[in-house]
Amino acid sequence: MKISINGLHKAFESRIRLGIMSALAVNNALDFSSLKDYLEVTDGNLASHLKALEKEDFIVVTKAFIDRKPNTKYTMTKQGRQAFEEHLTALENLIKSQK
């Protein structure tokens, strides 16, 4: 039996990127600290995966100051949401094809 992996997006192969997109799919925006806590990853690891998603135009970064402290928020773009939904659909189809 052949398994079709058409529709799976390479940007979501990493569990951390998948986690970032999942968290942003159910939240309007999340800051760096919240994402770090949710995913239980190091600063450097999270930053590199966020940068990769930003390069794909799947997330937008907004920097601001709150009480003189820097605050970086991340939001999923329309393109990112569509790519993520297509990826999830491809995963669902893959699972269904194996039943």
Side-chain angles (χ1 to χ4, degrees):
M1 175 187 298
K2 290 185 178 181
I3 298 174
S4 174
I5 56 171
N6 294 334
L8 294 179
H9 200 291
K10 189 154 180 69
F12 307 130
E13 285 181 359
S14 162
R15 69 178 183 85
I16 295 170
R17 290 183 202 163
L18 195 60
I20 292 167
M21 294 300 284
S22 297
L24 291 176
V26 296
N27 293 281
N28 272 347
L30 289 170
D31 62 23
F32 188 89
S33 296
S34 297
L35 280 169
K36 184 180 161 190
D37 290 344
Y38 285 150
L39 301 172
E40 298 178 344
V41 294
T42 63
D43 288 6
N45 202 353
L46 179 58
S48 67
H49 287 287
L50 287 166
K51 186 164 278 300
L53 290 171
E54 186 182 3
K55 279 184 179 179
E56 293 279 347
D57 291 325
F58 289 166
I59 62 171
V60 171
V61 181
T62 307
K63 296 184 182 228
F65 284 90
I66 298 176
D67 295 329
R68 298 185 187 202
K69 293 181 183 178
N71 181 271
T72 306
K73 288 197 181 228
Y74 300 90
T75 309
M76 191 183 300
T77 64
K78 186 177 179 181
Q79 178 183 341
R81 185 169 301 280
Q82 180 178 349
F84 189 60
E85 287 173 0
E86 288 171 1
H87 183 79
L88 293 178
T89 299
L91 282 173
E92 287 175 5
N93 291 338
L94 179 62
I95 291 167
K96 287 176 186 174
S97 74
Q98 299 306 302
K99 288 186 177 182

